[in-house]
Amino acid sequence: MSKLDPLDLYNISDELSDEERMIRESVARFVDERALPLIPECFDAGRFPEELIPEIADLGLLGSSLEGYGCAGLNSVSYGLICQELERADSGLRSFVSVQSSLCMYPIHAFGSEAQREAWLPGMAAGEIIGCFGLTEPHGGSDPANMKTHARRDGDDWILNGAKMWITNGTIAKIAIVWARTEDGIQGFIVETDSKGFEARDIKAKMSLRASVTSELYFDNVRVPDANRLPGAKGLKGPLSCLTQARYGITWGPIGAAIACLSETLDYTADRELFKRPLAANQAVQLKLADMGRRITLAQLMALHLGRLKDAGKMHPTQVSLAKWNNVRMALDIARECRDVLGGSGITLEYVPIRHMLNLESVITYEGTETIHQLVVGRELTGINAF
Ligand code: TGC
Ligand code: FAD
């Protein structure tokens, strides 16, 4: 019998097309050769590696599943694999690509006018124009229907006032997709960040996603031309549809983080000798490792099936909630357990688990907290809205 790959126990790779495998391998190469040598220092310094943006763009990873406008037009499984490989390096790198692709380019592609698509998407695919997505507000992100940021019509313009909180890429963005209450319901605006009255400030002293930019946005009578309003989005459905795209990517990303943790822990427990035998020779340790293999395999199967459903146009948002909940919880628990198995070494940035563990505390909170996704699934099962 041939030996199984400990990080792919069900040979998921065999289920991928040649193109999907090739994409995964090229992103994996970028991660190993270019990202991983930089990431621990970036995390330590609290710095996003902006110097990687041109290479990320050259690989076609920005807006990769969109058609036209300089985008690669890949399928959803390929987008998932991209997220998985990037998050094998760091959740911050995957976050950057999620926000640019699913939260900024997707709404322009799906809800924008032809002029907006032509004006913004090619530069965004090339990594020359960075976007951020402003939905969450300081008084409570789980309930975006209660947003206070508002836009008032003034001739051919809109006047925007309010604030957004916890915004990835905020201070490096050239445009912000801002969701605001209007007389005609919630609408989305492409706000140029050099507009008068717009301010972005970095949130400091984060203990999670340190290799990512997280900001607050302020709008003080910002004048936005009506030409920058997304004409195809009315109501909360607009931003929630963007979240479905990004959450889908997040069902794959944490698998990469979990794989990175398990891989390092397998090496560590094989090499480390305690009580005259390798740590991996203890039943108590093998039980932990086997359980990690089980949980990673289940997450891989879930993500792949979800991706195939999405590519067939059959994916339901509740299925995304189920997978986001399961796969982030899986990765967070595995990162914490790997940190423990590494003993004292596990608390340093020399090994990956503590960095992934800290990052995953954000991943389990953003794009809908674990509780929100549990309640979405509960609502589906019972028909009762418990929010
Ligand atoms: P509800 O009444 O359920 O729905 C309002 C309308 O939206 C539709 N809808 C969806 N459409 C697409 N995808 C989804 N996932 C959708 N969920 C709902 C729904 O059909 C309805 O349409 P219509 O036509 O009937 O009007 O809305 P609700 O107010 O009860 O809220 C439901 C709830 C709690 C699930 C929602 O508010 C929610 O998801 N809250 C969590 C908010 C959240 O996830 N924020 C994330 C902010 S962005 C972020 O975190 C980026 S991190 C980026 C990174 O760095 O990776
Ligand atoms: P709250 O909504 O105040 O929730 C607090 C607690 O209450 C949570 O545990 C929650 O699960 C629980 N809770 C809420 N409602 C219920 C209920 N009905 N029943 C039981 N428990 C409940 N947002 C953006 O718009 N754009 C971004 O780019 C972005 N990037 C982010 C990056 C980072 C690093 C982080 C940490 C967040 C980011 N967010 C972004 C915000 C993120 O989406 C919110 O943090 C998240 O939606 C939760 O909102 P909140 O932090 O206000 O918590």
Side-chain angles (χ1 to χ4, degrees), residues 198-260:
F198 177 96
E199 194 190 342
R201 283 186 218 146
D202 276 343
I203 296 174
K204 304 277 186 202
K206 285 183 302 170
M207 301 306 288
S208 175
L209 275 192
R210 289 182 52 74
S212 170
V213 172
T214 316
S215 321
E216 295 170 273
L217 310 182
Y218 298 94
F219 318 103
D220 178 9
N221 288 313
V222 178
R223 189 168 280 278
V224 183
D226 187 52
N228 281 19
R229 181 179 54 86
L230 295 171
K234 285 268 165 66
L236 201 56
K237 200 179 172 80
L240 291 182
S241 305
C242 304
L243 297 186
T244 295
Q245 305 302 314
R247 290 167 177 173
Y248 163 75
I250 296 177
T251 68
W252 287 82
I255 297 171
I259 283 176

Side-chain angles (χ1 to χ4, degrees), residues 99 103 133-143 165-169 206 208-209 214 362 365-372 375 386-387:
V99 169
L103 296 182
F133 177 88
L135 179 65
T136 303
E137 301 194 352
H139 56 274
S142 297
D143 184 15
M165 179 89 178
W166 305 113
I167 306 304
T168 302
N169 298 346
K206 285 183 302 170
S208 175
L209 275 192
T214 316
S362 284
T365 293
Y366 67 36
E367 293 285 0
T369 66
E370 182 175 60
T371 308
I372 289 296
L375 293 176
F387 291 109

Side-chain angles (χ1 to χ4, degrees), residues 28-50:
R29 233 181 348 266
F30 163 76
V31 161
D32 290 332
E33 292 171 10
R34 304 288 301 133
L36 279 171
L38 275 180
I39 284 292
E41 169 259 309
C42 286
F43 187 94
D44 198 20
R47 174 180 90 77
F48 171 67
E50 276 187 68

Side-chain angles (χ1 to χ4, degrees), residues 134-139 146-151 159-165 178-182 186-187 189 217 219:
L135 179 65
T136 303
E137 301 194 352
H139 56 274
N146 185 33
M147 76 172 57
K148 311 279 186 238
T149 298
H150 55 91
I159 308 295
L160 185 65
N161 278 288
K164 299 286 177 181
M165 179 89 178
V178 178
W179 299 93
R181 184 174 298 290
T182 71
I186 292 171
Q187 300 204 64
F189 297 87
L217 310 182
F219 318 103

Side-chain angles (χ1 to χ4, degrees), residues 67-343:
E67 294 285 348
Y69 310 97
C71 303
L74 303 178
N75 69 2
S76 303
V77 169
S78 300
Y79 175 49
L81 291 164
I82 290 168
C83 290
Q84 181 180 307
E85 284 308 318
L86 292 175
E87 197 145 353
R88 188 166 61 76
D90 194 85
S91 306
L93 217 48
R94 196 266 311 136
S95 251
F96 171 77
V97 169
S98 291
V99 169
Q100 179 81 349
S101 304
S102 293
L103 296 182
C104 297
M105 295 175 74
Y106 169 79
I108 295 174
H109 198 273
F111 308 128
S113 64
E114 190 52 36
Q116 289 168 349
R117 291 189 200 115
E118 278 165 13
W120 302 109
L121 292 178
M124 295 179 85
E128 288 152 9
I129 297 170
I130 304 305
C132 67
F133 177 88
L135 179 65
T136 303
E137 301 194 352
H139 56 274
S142 297
D143 184 15
N146 185 33
M147 76 172 57
K148 311 279 186 238
T149 298
H150 55 91
R152 174 176 54 81
R153 189 75 195 242
D154 183 38
D156 287 341
D157 297 334
W158 293 81
I159 308 295
L160 185 65
N161 278 288
K164 299 286 177 181
M165 179 89 178
W166 305 113
I167 306 304
T168 302
N169 298 346
T171 55
I172 59 169
K174 190 169 159 54
I175 59 167
I177 306 294
V178 178
W179 299 93
R181 184 174 298 290
T182 71
E183 269 191 352
D184 203 12
I186 292 171
Q187 300 204 64
F189 297 87
I190 304 170
V191 179
E192 298 180 47
T193 58
D194 58 2
S195 305
K196 189 161 173 279
F198 177 96
E199 194 190 342
R201 283 186 218 146
D202 276 343
I203 296 174
K204 304 277 186 202
K206 285 183 302 170
M207 301 306 288
S208 175
L209 275 192
R210 289 182 52 74
S212 170
V213 172
T214 316
S215 321
E216 295 170 273
L217 310 182
Y218 298 94
F219 318 103
D220 178 9
N221 288 313
V222 178
R223 189 168 280 278
V224 183
D226 187 52
N228 281 19
R229 181 179 54 86
L230 295 171
K234 285 268 165 66
L236 201 56
K237 200 179 172 80
L240 291 182
S241 305
C242 304
L243 297 186
T244 295
Q245 305 302 314
R247 290 167 177 173
Y248 163 75
I250 296 177
T251 68
W252 287 82
I255 297 171
I259 283 176
C261 294
L262 176 58
S263 171
E264 200 170 69
T265 304
L266 286 173
D267 290 346
Y268 188 88
T269 53
D271 289 348
R272 192 161 181 84
E273 294 231 346
L274 292 167
F275 301 101
K276 301 197 174 92
R277 60 181 184 272
L279 197 49
N282 292 288
Q283 287 188 356
V285 173
Q286 282 199 16
L287 288 179
K288 286 184 189 171
L289 298 173
D291 202 41
M292 292 179 203
R294 174 183 67 82
R295 283 176 282 164
I296 289 174
T297 304
L298 291 173
Q300 285 169 324
L301 290 170
M302 212 166 183
L304 182 64
H305 187 66
L306 193 66
R308 296 290 182 226
L309 285 175
K310 189 168 192 300
D311 279 327
K314 293 183 183 162
M315 186 181 81
H316 189 287
T318 302
Q319 294 169 331
V320 183
S321 284
L322 186 64
K324 197 260 182 188
W325 161 22
N326 185 73
N327 291 7
V328 182
R329 167 55 61 190
M330 170 284 295
L332 177 56
D333 289 348
I334 286 178
R336 283 174 178 165
E337 287 159 25
C338 288
R339 208 289 318 137
D340 173 60
V341 174
L342 265 56

